[in-house]
Amino acid sequence: MQPAARPDARLARRLRSLRQQHWPGAKITQQQIAEALGGESPLSLSLISSWESTRKPVLPPTNRLIGYATFFASRRSVTSEPARLLDEAELGEDERKVRDRLYAELLSLRFPDTPLNGDESGLFDARQLSLVGSNQETIGGGTWFFPDQRPIIIVSGSLPRRYREQMLFADPENPDYVRSYGLADLDALIEVHGHIRAVNPVADVRILRSEEMHEDDFSSHLVLIGGVDWNPVNRDVTRRLDLPVRQQMRPDDSDPGYFSTAEGDTFTPVLDEAGGTLVEDVAHFFRGTSPYNAQRTVTLCNGMYGRGTYGAVRALTDAKFRDRNEDYVRKRFRDAPTFSILMRVRINLNGAVVTPDWTLAEERLHEWPPTVGDG
């Protein structure tokens, strides 16, 4: 009896068979694989060869496996030169199913000791397989999963100096200085950073203040947290994109501000007349193509107040609501590359945020595209 093949050798054989046999009659070269997986910087042929070698196999990282699965999900990957990976929005439903099956298979070969749980039909959602290599229960990725696993930068505004001066640990000269105390919207930042890291385990995920951004950073996937008052990058993106919703800057802290729509409607937070406490905020979630790099995305999560921003983030991270909200997005926008939801964010009696439920019409103030299929 011959000894069983090592897991890495089995994966190597499968990668080679995909290239040589997946599409009958098509001759796929290592050069095409290198071009598609590397994108703007094609991978070396020796690297592709090492992943296919059964004598001395090298295990590819997880982000390359999703690349392989995406590449072989559609023959359109090789209809142009150089070969390329289709964006998520370009894939049809059948192609996504092929991609997910292949990804699950490759992951099972890459991590043979990690159980992967599919649904009753045996399909795996690639957005729910991002915690590979661990024994933790998958938490689902949805909108926050980035299939290309390229760098993701979460851009935060900074607290104005007048607020930082009131905080002892926000002073760099203090021995107990804490950099994060100078960031705006900390609740939202902590929530979104943890979730994005969890569902994109091989991607480089960083938090940067808007003033810390260098020119190369703008070509990454961008997640902008906070409104136009304290986040200059948000203001720049809003200026560059023809957004269906715009946040108006507040002239001073006493003004609650408002969001306006292209149709001329305005939406303002609700404050308790007796104590001036926040009862209901207005927040915006936007996902679209980055104005700085057409192959990357930009996501806006901003409210008129901090709890609105936190609510916009929680809509797709809260374990109790994210699945139903993701399902709403999927059915309502049909995986459109650009979508926008303006929402109510209610505050309960103890001042905590109530996660928005996008399946309730009364919590959605404005949506774009206005009807399914509109561009």
Side-chain angles (χ1 to χ4, degrees):
M1 178 181 296
Q2 293 183 347
R6 295 183 338 197
D8 48 3
R10 290 199 297 266
L11 178 58
R13 276 202 294 268
R14 182 59 177 129
L15 294 179
R16 176 172 290 188
S17 72
L18 276 175
R19 185 172 60 81
Q20 296 178 341
Q21 303 170 21
H22 185 67
W23 291 318
K27 184 178 180 180
I28 305 302
T29 67
Q30 290 184 344
Q31 179 65 38
Q32 288 174 301
I33 299 292
E35 292 170 347
L37 268 61
E40 298 168 358
S41 302
L43 305 181
S44 68
L45 294 183
S46 61
L47 184 60
I48 303 300
S49 180
S50 71
W51 293 341
E52 293 186 0
S53 172
T54 56
R55 294 185 58 190
K56 294 183 178 181
V58 175
L59 287 172
T62 308
N63 64 319
R64 298 311 182 190
L65 296 184
I66 185 62
Y68 267 96
T70 303
F71 181 85
F72 286 105
S74 173
R75 294 188 73 142
R76 291 184 291 147
S77 301
V78 293
T79 55
S80 61
E81 294 184 4
R84 69 187 185 93
L85 298 185
L86 300 182
D87 292 335
E88 180 76 11
E90 296 180 86
L91 293 172
E93 187 61 30
D94 290 342
E95 291 170 332
R96 286 195 183 91
K97 291 179 180 179
V98 173
R99 189 264 320 266
D100 293 350
R101 286 195 186 97
L102 284 175
Y103 188 28
E105 178 192 357
L106 296 177
L107 286 174
S108 67
L109 293 173
R110 176 67 170 79
F111 302 102
D113 297 325
T114 300
L116 300 175
N117 300 314
D119 60 21
E120 294 179 356
S121 65
L123 294 179
F124 292 80
D125 185 342
R127 295 172 292 188
Q128 294 180 334
L129 294 173
S130 50
L131 286 178
V132 295
S134 74
N135 290 320
Q136 300 180 49
E137 189 178 19
T138 56
I139 66 171
T143 302
W144 290 125
F145 175 72
F146 297 85
D148 61 10
Q149 294 294 280
R150 300 295 186 181
I152 305 160
I153 295 181
I154 303 170
V155 187
S156 167
S158 296
L159 287 176
R161 180 184 296 274
R162 63 182 181 278
Y163 293 125
R164 297 199 305 271
E165 289 177 345
Q166 300 176 39
M167 303 169 62
L168 183 64
F169 297 154
D171 181 1
E173 296 184 1
N174 189 292
D176 283 321
Y177 167 70
V178 178
R179 173 184 173 272
S180 297
Y181 284 173
L183 299 173
D185 299 293
L186 268 180
D187 284 347
L189 283 172
I190 293 171
E191 178 76 12
V192 77
H193 180 261
H195 192 86
I196 289 177
R197 284 289 303 273
V199 298
N200 300 277
V202 298
D204 176 23
V205 183
R206 291 181 289 154
I207 295 175
L208 291 178
R209 291 181 299 188
S210 53
E211 60 266 29
E212 295 173 331
M213 297 277 288
H214 296 292
E215 57 185 37
D216 289 343
D217 296 326
F218 285 89
S219 63
S220 304
H221 291 292
L222 299 179
V223 178
L224 308 184
I225 300 298
V228 296
D229 288 321
W230 297 348
N231 194 331
V233 178
N234 186 315
R235 292 200 296 271
D236 189 60
V237 166
T238 300
R239 178 177 62 83
R240 294 173 183 272
L241 295 178
D242 186 19
L243 296 182
V245 170
R246 290 183 179 272
Q247 183 181 28
Q248 305 302 315
M249 295 185 67
R250 293 183 290 177
D252 54 62
D253 294 343
S254 63
D255 191 316
Y258 62 93
F259 282 91
S260 62
T261 69
E263 296 80 11
D265 297 321
T266 60
F267 299 92
T268 305
V270 177
L271 301 177
D272 177 67
E273 294 183 0
T277 57
L278 185 63
V279 175
E280 181 183 290
D281 203 354
V282 181
H284 185 211
F285 188 99
F286 171 87
R287 163 62 64 82
T289 302
S290 172
Y292 310 115
N293 184 346
Q295 295 185 9
R296 304 291 181 266
T297 62
V298 63
T299 308
L300 306 182
C301 295
N302 55 309
M304 292 311 309
Y305 294 98
R307 280 175 287 187
T309 299
Y310 181 62
V313 167
R314 287 279 286 173
L316 296 179
T317 64
D318 186 336
K320 299 183 295 296
F321 290 89
R322 66 186 179 220
D323 289 341
R324 76 179 74 165
N325 286 340
E326 287 286 2
D327 187 60
Y328 177 80
V329 169
R330 190 160 45 247
K331 292 177 179 177
R332 170 65 174 78
F333 301 109
R334 296 182 181 178
D335 295 315
T338 299
F339 70 91
S340 166
I341 297 180
L342 189 69
M343 72 202 84
R344 302 180 191 275
V345 177
R346 291 176 288 120
I347 313 300
N348 66 22
L349 293 178
N350 66 1
V353 168
V354 178
T355 302
D357 183 348
W358 290 347
T359 66
L360 300 178
E362 61 268 25
E363 298 204 357
R364 305 188 311 269
L365 300 174
H366 182 275
E367 299 173 89
W368 189 91
T371 57
V372 175
D374 283 0

